[in-house]
Amino acid sequence: MIIKPMIRSNICINAHPIGCAKDTQNQIEYVKSQKAKRGTKTAKEGGYAPKTVLVLGCSTGYGLASRISAAFEFGADTIGVSFEKEPTETKGGTPGWYNNKAFDTEAQKAGLKTVTFNTDAFSDECRQTVINQVKEWNTKFDLIVYSLASPVRTDPETKVMYRSVIKPVGKVYGGPALDMMTGKISQMSADPAEGDEVANTIKVMGGEDWARWIKQLGDAGVLAEGCRTVAYSYIGPDLTHAIYRDGTIGHAKQDLEKTAHEIDAVLAKNGGAAYVSVNKALVTRSSAVIPVISLYMSCLFKIMKAKGTHEGCIEQMERLFAERLYTADKKVPTDNEGRIRVDDLEMDPDTQKEVNELMSKVTEENVNDITDLAGIRHDFLATNGFDIQGVDYSKEVERMDVIC
């Protein structure tokens, strides 16, 4: 069958197996090139590097890029957890399923230990499965990456399911919305959160589950001395604060930051630490349906690419590992609230000034010319394995449950 992107309401609902695998392989090759460029040494080579890494939410975006960086630059054995729709011979799976399969294949070729569990990372059953696996390897985790971004979470104690929302708090948030596929600009608004939506979003995307993971891993005796853990967040410019930093998801991320300090106090007793890494704005499945965000990114990418400072997921996470978590002096640079900032290039004052100036000039007539519409459209498609250089999309895909 010939597989073309199926886009409904600005969301791509299918994936290309070969495209997903190729994109994962491209990220692996980038990290390998950075290892050679930086002269990074793995633990086996006598370097300062993680040996065994757990990545929760390992299949796409920052989670996948973290796992690739840990394995292919720093030589770590990895266990990954994500919840994916598995394909059949004739029906496609989610992009993450193909990404995981490609990662495992390449890691095994490189002689690295790798196991990927396709299950609910919020469940205690998953935690026990991971504990059993790392004990079978006869080792302990020295890094846990927490990169879960699920819209729902079932509390393992009460069995109540909670749903997260991306909404402003207190008042309507609106502004121009850029359709990444068509270039159309329309006015869009998001109604404020109601009832328990803030509390529910915190339950799903806050720090409660992260803390539960660290406690149960610690109780099981599978955290190495000096173990570190990192979770991911976003702050962004003032113009997005109403929907992000001050919105429902921002409340959850503030809870995540509070939890980081609590976990840090526990891990510090054994020489470890917990961090929140604030990362750069990138195209996600939800970007196209949030007011202002896609337009902001089209301008941001244009400015940052002109400056030579633009980064995708893999560039961000490689830099996080090499220049923040595993530095030569073994110190982790943070801001005055203890957060790692790899959004520094995005939030550069000159960059933000130029972005604001460019946003004020954008119209439907000039959006293709003065913004990076093509770039964010590529990123949107690439998250599902489309528009990847080197893939022949006119070629028949014989089976949907393989990546070659």
Side-chain angles (χ1 to χ4, degrees):
M1 65 193 84
I2 302 295
I3 305 173
K4 296 182 179 181
M6 298 171 60
I7 298 169
R8 304 285 185 272
S9 301
N10 290 321
I11 295 175
C12 188
I13 61 174
N14 66 335
H16 197 288
I18 299 170
C20 288
K22 177 63 174 174
D23 188 48
T24 300
Q25 290 163 357
N26 288 345
Q27 294 183 62
I28 291 170
E29 290 308 312
Y30 171 79
V31 162
K32 287 180 178 178
S33 71
Q34 287 297 101
K35 174 176 169 55
K37 180 179 177 180
R38 293 182 185 273
T40 305
K41 292 185 178 181
T42 67
K44 290 180 180 178
E45 295 168 335
Y48 175 50
K51 298 176 183 177
T52 308
V53 176
L54 172 62
V55 182
L56 302 167
C58 67
S59 61
T60 60
Y62 283 130
L64 175 63
S66 299
R67 195 179 188 191
I68 289 171
S69 297
F72 291 96
E73 182 168 356
F74 290 84
D77 298 325
T78 64
I79 294 175
V81 179
S82 65
F83 204 6
E84 307 299 328
K85 175 188 173 184
E86 295 191 27
T88 66
E89 184 175 342
T90 57
K91 293 185 178 180
T94 49
W97 190 91
Y98 300 115
N99 296 340
N100 287 340
K101 189 66 65 175
F103 175 89
D104 284 338
T105 298
E106 295 303 314
Q108 288 164 5
K109 287 181 183 177
L112 299 169
K113 289 182 181 177
T114 177
V115 173
T116 302
F117 294 112
N118 187 21
T119 188
D120 179 10
F122 294 128
S123 71
D124 285 345
E125 292 79 9
C126 173
R127 282 180 259 271
Q128 190 58 54
T129 298
V130 168
I131 289 167
N132 292 343
Q133 181 61 61
V134 77
K135 284 185 174 180
E136 183 180 315
W137 282 359
N138 193 31
T139 188
K140 298 181 180 182
F141 294 117
D142 45 18
L143 177 66
I144 295 101
V145 174
Y146 191 86
S147 186
L148 295 178
S150 171
V152 298
R153 172 182 173 238
T154 298
D155 187 302
E157 293 185 0
T158 65
K159 306 305 179 186
V160 174
M161 177 182 284
Y162 297 91
R163 294 185 179 276
S164 65
V165 296
I166 301 178
K167 289 185 176 183
V169 173
K171 60 182 180 180
V172 173
Y173 174 74
L178 172 63
D179 186 311
M180 290 183 281
M181 297 308 296
T182 67
K184 296 291 185 182
I185 298 175
S186 59
Q187 291 297 311
M188 185 181 291
S189 63
D191 292 330
E194 299 177 341
D196 294 331
E197 287 183 323
V198 172
N200 291 349
T201 301
I202 292 172
K203 286 287 286 189
V204 178
M205 303 188 72
E208 183 177 276
D209 182 69
W210 184 23
R212 193 176 183 90
W213 265 102
I214 299 304
K215 183 180 187 306
Q216 292 190 18
L217 293 172
D219 289 347
V222 295
L223 296 182
E225 183 177 352
C227 176
R228 290 175 172 175
T229 183
V230 60
Y232 297 141
S233 186
Y234 179 68
I235 294 178
D238 289 344
L239 68 91
T240 68
H241 280 189
I243 195 74
Y244 274 123
R245 192 62 182 172
D246 300 329
T248 54
I249 194 169
H251 280 69
K253 294 303 185 182
Q254 289 165 36
D255 183 76
L256 192 76
E257 291 173 17
K258 179 175 78 70
T259 303
H261 294 299
E262 295 168 358
I263 296 173
D264 186 77
V266 174
L267 294 181
K269 296 175 183 178
N270 200 30
Y275 302 98
V276 166
S277 175
V278 182
N279 303 336
K280 172 179 175 287
L282 291 172
V283 175
T284 66
R285 290 171 63 88
S286 61
S287 299
V289 294
I290 303 174
V292 179
I293 303 303
S294 54
L295 180 61
Y296 167 71
M297 287 192 297
S298 72
C299 295
L300 175 70
F301 289 14
K302 183 76 170 184
I303 298 301
M304 293 188 75
K305 286 179 180 179
K307 290 177 175 290
T309 59
H310 177 72
E311 295 172 317
C313 282
I314 193 62
E315 292 86 2
Q316 277 266 288
M317 293 301 96
E318 191 278 334
R319 186 160 67 93
L320 170 66
F321 274 69
E323 298 182 9
R324 301 293 191 272
L325 290 175
Y326 296 99
T327 57
D329 63 5
K330 299 185 180 181
K331 295 180 181 179
V332 178
T334 62
D335 65 11
N336 57 12
E337 295 187 42
R339 300 172 300 204
I340 298 172
R341 303 299 294 265
V342 285
D343 65 339
D344 51 340
L345 301 179
E346 173 186 359
M347 299 310 298
D348 171 73
D350 288 341
T351 294
Q352 285 297 314
K353 180 175 181 291
E354 292 182 43
V355 170
N356 288 334
E357 291 173 352
L358 184 57
M359 286 187 69
S360 69
K361 301 175 183 177
V362 179
T363 66
E364 259 185 31
E365 290 69 34
N366 65 20
V367 66
N368 275 291
D369 299 321
I370 70 171
T371 78
D372 189 30
L373 177 60
I376 65 169
R377 181 186 295 132
H378 163 77
D379 289 355
F380 174 70
L381 292 170
T383 58
N384 286 60
F386 296 103
D387 202 31
I388 305 297
Q389 189 173 0
V391 177
D392 184 356
Y393 292 98
S394 67
K395 188 177 179 180
E396 294 273 353
V397 175
E398 296 182 4
R399 296 178 61 112
M400 294 299 293
D401 56 350
V402 295
I403 57 173
C404 58

